[in-house]
Amino acid sequence: MAEIPKTKKKRDAEATKSRILMAAKSEFAKRGLGGARVDEIAELAEANKRMLYHYFGSKEDLFRTVLEEAYLDIRKAERELNLEDLSPTDALETLVRFTWQYYLDNPEFITLVNSENLHGARHIKSLDNLPETMRGLVGMVDEILVKGQATGEFRSGIDAAQLNITIAAIGYYYLTNRHTGSFLFGRDLMEEKALDERLAFNIETVLRLVRADAQGN
Amino acid sequence: MAEIPKTKKKRDAEATKSRILMAAKSEFAKRGLGGARVDEIAELAEANKRMLYHYFGSKEDLFRTVLEEAYLDIRKAERELNLEDLSPTDALETLVRFTWQYYLDNPEFITLVNSENLHGARHIKSLDNLPETMRGLVGMVDEILVKGQATGEFRSGIDAAQLNITIAAIGYYYLTNRHTGSFLFGRDLMEEKALDERLAFNIETVLRLVRADAQGN
DNA sequence: TAAAGAAGTAACTAGTTAGTGCATTAAAGG
DNA sequence: CCTTTAATGCACTAACTAGTTACTTCTTTA
């Protein structure tokens, strides 16, 4: 008799590790670090809990790994936008659109970051490659701002780090608080029309913030 | 012999209830709904855990009460700003400053809201007085916008709800992510100078967003 | 092909946690 | 006073949870 074909290869360390990581991302995103259950992650990954401890050491170490991957991934995607090839205005609009869409496509990112902040950022503090990549992003935005000033599109004196924070904030806040927001405002903030409106508003916000006015400031 | 004066009266239902509520706010803010410990709340309140269940029924009901108080409190404080008495520009700047300072003075508000969103806003959904107060705030901002258009200070076509969300977002995001932010940016986002800079940037953001430009839009 | 090591499993442990049963004690009205 | 009712305290339990022990099974390579 023919063997039942298994989706899961009998022995594959990399695949198991990767399944655990994906399951962990999903579970941590759904319930936070504290609310996540190690048994649930193992089951979701179709792996044994022992393997989770074998590969990742502890629940918190697993969380750290998930977080690191999440941060590296968004920074990588940002770099791949090649903003330096666009006009300053287009570059900023593209960054606002990207940030918004990234949060929509990767909702776990927001929950992971929230969870990490609830715990005083103690997990990422040992990951010293993360500040480097953040400096890269701020540097990129700063270049856009300098270029925009040179062309006269933008005013001077804008802090790149603050602008970065604001671009993240206006999307992040809307999405992280979508449940309370939908209830308090009495309408579904996640329906397509509402999302489109919010994105348009955010682009307007950022462009008006940087644009040189009639007096050139 | 004179009786030892006790700070705590022997029997005082209201006082005990209130101490439990304050303790719960603090514990929920520090650890979130899932991470908070009922025993910890009782101890912090110098009350017995039995009393907590006597007065509030369950951990989740207690959380709901804490949340309701928090929302009612910020909305009340906003109303007391009497923004309608200020010029449109001053009114918006005041609202931005207030929102920022409220988050700074009441850091538990942010954590409570985050926790509630992690749980799909399921606790506040039974509190139907909250959407009313939110409508009040949006209405107030809308009046400011209408008045500002009339005086020519503001451009037309600004959505009051979106503006509200943005005013909250630019402060909330910075503060809720202060731990990861401080680490990623490599500097303490909570030192006085940094806070002042952020507030100034936020006021600039909002005023440029609403201001009528040279062409009157 | 044999042996060694890596991958995988099930059952268990020690500690924790929300919630409760029941007895006791203080206050307030008659 | 004395009775009733509400406030309070202690000790318990049933369920849960991160992490581990002791073992089996597969794969690779010398």
Side-chain angles (χ1 to χ4, degrees), chain A residues 133-153:
Chain A
T133 64
M134 184 53 101
R135 275 193 293 279
L137 174 61
V138 175
M140 186 161 72
V141 170
D142 197 49
E143 279 174 40
I144 296 169
L145 287 173
V146 168
K147 205 163 126 191
Q149 280 172 46
T151 66
E153 288 165 64

Side-chain angles (χ1 to χ4, degrees), chain A residues 41 107 122 127 153 167 180 185:
Chain A
I41 294 172
R122 71 165 191 266
L127 306 173
E153 288 165 64
I167 289 171
T180 52
F185 285 104

Side-chain angles (χ1 to χ4, degrees), chain B residues 133-146 160-161 164:
Chain B
T133 65
M134 184 52 102
R135 276 194 293 278
L137 174 61
V138 175
M140 185 160 73
V141 170
D142 196 48
E143 278 173 41
I144 295 169
L145 287 172
V146 169
N164 248 305

Side-chain angles (χ1 to χ4, degrees), chain A residues 29-158:
Chain A
K30 206 178 293 170
R31 312 195 196 286
L33 169 59
R37 296 291 160 246
V38 171
D39 292 86
E40 189 65 28
I41 294 172
E43 196 182 343
L44 213 82
E46 298 181 82
N48 191 280
K49 186 164 57 152
R50 198 65 195 79
M51 293 287 85
L52 188 157
Y53 283 95
H54 183 246
Y55 291 127
F56 297 99
S58 70
K59 185 185 180 184
E60 303 227 343
D61 283 339
L62 176 57
F63 183 71
R64 192 194 328 277
T65 305
V66 167
L67 254 180
E68 180 174 26
E69 287 224 331
Y71 271 113
L72 292 177
D73 185 70
I74 188 172
R75 293 290 103 85
K76 180 159 168 278
E78 278 160 354
R79 279 195 308 275
E80 287 169 357
L81 292 172
N82 294 121
L83 298 180
E84 57 278 9
D85 300 339
L86 299 173
S87 80
T89 300
D90 285 351
L92 281 189
E93 178 170 336
T94 300
L95 183 56
V96 174
R97 283 183 187 280
F98 165 80
T99 305
W100 175 255
Q101 196 59 46
Y102 188 91
Y103 292 158
L104 277 176
D105 293 342
N106 304 274
E108 75 282 356
F109 181 79
I110 288 179
T111 326
L112 291 171
V113 172
N114 279 345
S115 206
E116 178 64 355
N117 276 285
L118 182 63
H119 293 89
R122 71 165 191 266
H123 303 93
I124 60 165
K125 274 178 183 157
S126 59
L127 306 173
D128 42 77
N129 47 334
L130 294 189
E132 278 174 42
T133 64
M134 184 53 101
R135 275 193 293 279
L137 174 61
V138 175
M140 186 161 72
V141 170
D142 197 49
E143 279 174 40
I144 296 169
L145 287 173
V146 168
K147 205 163 126 191
Q149 280 172 46
T151 66
E153 288 165 64
F154 297 164
R155 66 191 172 92
S156 62
I158 303 163

Side-chain angles (χ1 to χ4, degrees), chain B residues 29 64 95 98 182 209:
Chain B
R64 192 197 325 277
L95 182 57
F98 165 80
S182 292
L209 174 58

